[in-house]
Amino acid sequence: MRNVHFIIGSESKRCYYIRMRPFFFLFVLLITVSVHAAERKPNVIIIYADDQGSIDLGCYGSTDLQTPHLDALATRGVRFTQMYSPSAICSASRAGLLTGRLPARAGVPGNVSSSKGTAGMPTSEVTIAEMLKDGDYATGHVGKWHLGYTPETMPNGQGFDHSFGHMGGCIDNYSHFFYWVGPNRHDLWRNGKEIWHDGEFFGDLMVDEMKDYISDHEKKPFFVYWAINFPHYPLQGSAKWRLAYSHLPSPRNMYNAFVSTMDEMIGDVLGHVNSLGLQEDTIVIFQSDHGHSTEERTFYGGGNAGPYRGAKGGLFEGGIRVPSIISWPGHLPEGGVRDQLAMGCDWLPTIASLCDVALPDRHLDGHNILSVIQSTDVASPHKDTYWQLGKGTAPQWVVRQGPWKLLGNPRDNSRQGELTKDDHLFLVNLDNDLSEARNLAKDEPDKVQDLLKIRERYAADLAGGSE
């Protein structure tokens, strides 16, 4: 057998060679490739949908929606049945996701202003982007922000090397003007500079941006936060999907068209990841920011919470229980379903564990749920959980411990039942009443007091401003 000359390094333009037998050369080469692969940290893509109903995916039981790409993602990963958003409103949910902290602790108990020049989430907060950037990741944001509209509180000031999208709560997807008020409030930005793409569908722009960013960073670990603004109003699905759902009543037909358009866009981007050979190097997390909207701008509905009471803006289950999937082929279980309670704040510490990077040096409310992802038999790390929406003397709040859930100052935007002044404390046992139809507060006074003590602990902790 002939010897092989194998280059192992260079210095001052001088190359060094080793003579070895072919089989030994192959052994060294395989070891070298294996070590390189082991050293590579995974890419991370978070896809954060906007106003998507609790069961609005085929894999969650929807019978009138076509979502083949997200259903396939669930087949390649783990799907949660008790994943909760950090809040039932847009900005607060995003703050909880990105910081791993309760939104009130992160300084965002409600929605941030969509007016240019208004600050948002404090810059003292540490985001997933900043955490991963310290771990030598490239960091990108695409889509909706809604966490501040000053240079310091826009994405490039909060840890993202690259940003493309809108800063306010929502835009028209063709003119890219702010949807609520105007008429002269254009909102499309790249890296802090206003850009114009009149008449181009924002969904297509996001897909192109995602694919370009992934291609540009395929050699180095990257993190992309794709805060896709679908199916938030205005409901502007593609013509293909509007036709496909034309037989359904309004507004379900428009809502479904938007969800399926989103699914197709996600499929396009994940297909691009696969085409670059990055599927087994990329963690993909999909989740909705909270439940579906019943606002006038979305024709008072369209989304589906299934058996759950509530919707966006309220802390009944339909406002905070959301579809959620994680996939990392070859590394995490595939085709799994997890019933343990988890929360959007958990993603930051879980990502830190998966990517082997240091956690921020501050108090976190989220927990590492990797053991839950890996097994149906591991208990949820949440012994109790707390939500607070709004501030002042009477914010909405919830304490959850086991199946018991106590709501304070509840709102039901799904209008599934009347709430009176006697329902300012609303107690349910989700094991027996998943639809939260009956208030047990008068029947279970001791349980109410137990949960109120937990509420007082959280309230005092948040008021203390723990870092």
Side-chain angles (χ1 to χ4, degrees):
M1 300 175 69
R2 293 179 179 271
N3 291 332
V4 176
H5 292 82
F6 178 43
I7 300 175
I8 62 170
S10 64
E11 181 181 357
S12 301
K13 299 182 180 179
R14 294 170 58 192
C15 295
Y16 295 84
Y17 299 82
I18 292 178
R19 289 194 306 171
M20 59 183 71
R21 296 290 185 181
F23 71 89
F24 189 67
F25 164 76
L26 290 174
F27 174 77
V28 171
L29 183 61
L30 287 172
I31 291 295
T32 303
V33 171
S34 177
V35 169
H36 173 74
E39 289 176 347
R40 180 190 173 98
K41 292 183 177 180
N43 310 312
V44 180
I45 299 176
I46 295 179
I47 306 171
Y48 214 47
D50 199 354
D51 292 12
Q52 184 174 3
S54 303
I55 69 162
D56 279 329
L57 286 177
C59 58
Y60 277 86
S62 178
T63 59
D64 65 350
L65 257 173
Q66 297 181 52
T67 55
H69 300 289
L70 285 168
D71 296 344
L73 185 69
T75 300
R76 297 192 301 271
V78 171
R79 176 174 64 85
F80 293 87
T81 65
Q82 265 200 104
M83 174 63 76
Y84 289 89
S85 58
S87 183
I89 204 75
C90 294
S91 297
S93 175
R94 291 155 203 276
L97 168 78
L98 288 175
T99 67
R101 287 150 64 89
L102 294 176
R105 195 188 307 280
V108 190
N111 263 344
V112 168
S113 171
S114 294
S115 297
K116 185 178 179 181
T118 305
M121 186 171 70
T123 56
S124 58
E125 293 300 315
V126 179
T127 66
I128 295 175
E130 289 168 307
M131 177 184 77
L132 290 176
K133 192 172 182 179
D134 286 345
D136 201 30
Y137 273 72
T139 56
H141 154 262
V142 174
K144 175 174 172 173
W145 182 240
H146 206 191
L147 282 170
Y149 215 152
T150 62
E152 297 79 14
T153 59
M154 288 163 70
N156 297 112
Q158 297 280 29
F160 291 94
D161 302 319
H162 179 81
S163 172
F164 168 80
H166 61 97
M167 298 299 107
C170 59
I171 56 171
D172 174 84
N173 288 287
Y174 293 92
S175 68
H176 317 130
F177 275 66
F178 184 56
Y179 187 71
W180 291 348
V181 294
N184 300 311
R185 295 181 63 178
H186 180 260
D187 186 5
L188 188 60
W189 303 79
R190 178 177 284 114
N191 295 324
K193 295 183 179 180
E194 188 174 15
I195 58 174
W196 297 79
H197 285 277
D198 296 359
E200 296 182 62
F201 185 49
F202 185 56
D204 294 338
L205 294 174
M206 286 191 290
V207 168
D208 289 344
E209 197 79 15
M210 286 289 297
K211 292 164 75 171
D212 287 347
Y213 186 86
I214 292 166
S215 293
D216 290 344
H217 296 87
E218 63 174 309
K219 301 301 182 184
K220 175 184 177 180
F222 61 80
F223 164 57
V224 186
Y225 169 50
W226 186 9
I228 189 168
N229 62 321
F230 294 13
H232 193 293
Y233 51 80
L235 302 177
Q236 295 174 310
S238 67
K240 165 188 172 180
W241 290 109
R242 290 199 304 272
L243 179 62
Y245 294 116
S246 59
H247 63 287
L248 294 177
S250 176
R252 184 66 176 175
N253 56 346
M254 294 180 286
Y255 175 90
N256 281 18
F258 216 16
V259 172
S260 289
T261 301
M262 174 183 74
D263 179 79
E264 196 165 51
M265 290 162 46
I266 292 170
D268 193 356
V269 170
L270 296 186
H272 184 67
V273 171
N274 297 349
S275 73
L276 295 175
L278 296 176
Q279 184 175 14
E280 293 188 1
D281 293 321
T282 304
I283 299 166
V284 178
I285 297 168
F286 172 85
Q287 186 161 316
S288 179
D289 64 344
H290 47 66
H292 68 288
S293 171
T294 57
E295 298 161 270
E296 181 181 8
R297 300 179 187 94
T298 193
F299 305 94
Y300 302 104
N304 188 355
Y308 310 119
R309 181 178 186 175
K312 173 184 178 180
L315 299 176
F316 284 103
E317 293 291 286
I320 54 176
R321 191 184 289 222
V322 292
S324 180
I325 300 164
I326 182 171
S327 175
W328 187 14
H331 302 271
L332 296 177
E334 299 189 25
V337 178
R338 300 292 179 266
D339 298 325
Q340 301 98 311
L341 186 149
M343 192 179 191
C345 298
D346 297 335
W347 287 123
L348 183 147
T350 305
I351 289 169
S353 175
L354 289 169
C355 298
D356 193 25
V357 299
L359 286 169
D361 184 18
R362 55 183 39 227
H363 177 91
L364 296 177
D365 297 292
H367 297 275
N368 180 359
I369 56 170
L370 179 55
S371 61
V372 170
I373 294 168
Q374 292 173 329
S375 174
T376 59
D377 300 323
V378 175
S380 168
H382 293 275
K383 295 181 179 179
D384 49 57
T385 320
Y386 181 72
W387 290 261
Q388 179 179 312
L389 176 52
K391 56 184 179 179
T393 58
Q396 294 182 67
W397 56 266
V398 163
V399 171
R400 170 84 186 267
Q401 187 180 53
W404 291 100
K405 178 179 177 183
L406 181 66
L407 300 94
N409 309 310
R411 289 179 57 186
D412 177 14
N413 293 328
S414 64
R415 299 175 290 276
Q416 291 187 29
E418 183 182 4
L419 292 171
T420 71
K421 62 181 181 179
D422 294 330
D423 294 317
H424 69 284
L425 292 176
F426 197 104
L427 178 69
V428 296
N429 184 312
L430 293 172
D431 282 351
N432 303 323
D433 184 12
L434 193 59
S435 62
E436 299 175 288
R438 184 184 172 205
N439 186 357
L440 299 176
K442 291 182 179 179
D443 300 331
E444 300 281 353
D446 291 342
K447 180 56 67 175
V448 169
Q449 290 304 312
D450 290 343
L451 296 178
L452 281 174
K453 289 177 183 177
I454 297 174
R455 145 75 175 170
E456 291 167 4
R457 168 167 55 85
Y458 274 102
D461 183 40
L462 292 172
S466 61
E467 286 296 313

